[in-house]
Amino acid sequence: MISCKEVARLLDTEQVKDQGSMKRLQFRMHLWMCRHCKRFERQIRQLRAAARQLLGYAQAARPDGELEERILRRLSTR
């Protein structure tokens, strides 16, 4: 069985898919049994969804990259 620390590391770095089948099975079993890690997984998913949504808003606000160009021009003149 893998530890909570290892589960948190795998969740945080999204490396679960890169692991072997036995490690993935241990990971899933741990999440099935540990309510704390299960809650952490849910929180990580919500944070990632919020970050994607925020990124979508930021990209919609500057569809052609004009804002980035203005900032870079301003910084280069200083």
Side-chain angles (χ1 to χ4, degrees), residues 58-59 62-75:
Q59 288 175 344
R62 51 171 183 80
D64 60 354
E66 178 188 339
L67 180 60
E68 286 180 57
E69 291 175 25
R70 284 180 29 211
I71 291 172
L72 289 173
R73 277 196 307 262
R74 194 92 186 252
L75 287 172

Side-chain angles (χ1 to χ4, degrees), residues 16-33:
V16 177
K17 298 172 218 136
D18 300 338
Q19 302 299 312
S21 58
M22 188 62 171
K23 187 79 154 192
R24 282 194 313 265
L25 178 62
Q26 290 175 341
F27 173 82
R28 287 289 156 208
M29 285 181 61
H30 185 98
L31 285 179
W32 181 67
M33 294 177 359

